[in-house]
Amino acid sequence: QVQLVESGGASVQAGGSLSLSCVAFGSTSGTYSMAWFRQTPGKGREGVASISFEGGRTMYADSVKGRFTISQEGDKKLVYLKMNSLKPEDTAMYVCAAMGRLWPSLDSELYPYWGQGIQVTVSS
């Protein structure tokens, strides 16, 4: 079993920055890629960014390209999400996920392991 714990959520003004982190622990030997998703009552779940531990391949949603950066410390099963130029529409519960595939993906159906989520609020 793999457990995921997120940290770093907060409230910021539009235009500000935040960094989120997620650590996987437990039976992580088969964990090869991780991702950040976000959830809001109105929009449902949206894939934000994903990264593979092998090679550091990344994938981003169009809505965050150029503003968000995902990075990893694969040996520690740590993933970070650096969020710049935040907008009110980035307000959501951000949830970390992990899977056993080698390539990054924003398809939530591929991820068997999920964190509890952490709130990010961006005010105008």
Side-chain angles (χ1 to χ4, degrees), residues 43-67:
K43 295 183 182 179
R45 179 179 289 170
E46 175 191 19
V48 176
S50 177
I51 190 166
S52 63
F53 290 133
E54 187 72 27
R57 291 177 286 264
T58 59
M59 178 179 290
Y60 294 93
D62 289 342
S63 57
V64 306
K65 280 181 182 176
R67 299 188 300 123

Side-chain angles (χ1 to χ4, degrees), residues 25-105:
F25 59 96
S27 302
T28 61
S29 59
T31 300
Y32 298 108
S33 295
M34 292 178 69
W36 288 95
F37 292 81
R38 60 188 182 189
Q39 301 173 176
T40 59
K43 295 183 182 179
R45 179 179 289 170
E46 175 191 19
V48 176
S50 177
I51 190 166
S52 63
F53 290 133
E54 187 72 27
R57 291 177 286 264
T58 59
M59 178 179 290
Y60 294 93
D62 289 342
S63 57
V64 306
K65 280 181 182 176
R67 299 188 300 123
F68 291 11
T69 302
I70 190 169
S71 59
Q72 51 93 354
E73 292 184 55
D75 57 335
K76 300 177 182 177
K77 300 297 183 184
L78 266 168
V79 172
Y80 305 98
L81 186 67
K82 175 67 173 178
M83 304 183 291
N84 296 323
S85 303
L86 282 161
K87 305 174 181 179
E89 51 263 44
D90 293 318
T91 295
M93 177 75 72
Y94 283 72
V95 187
C96 178
M99 66 170 176
R101 296 190 178 216
L102 292 173
W103 294 89
S105 174

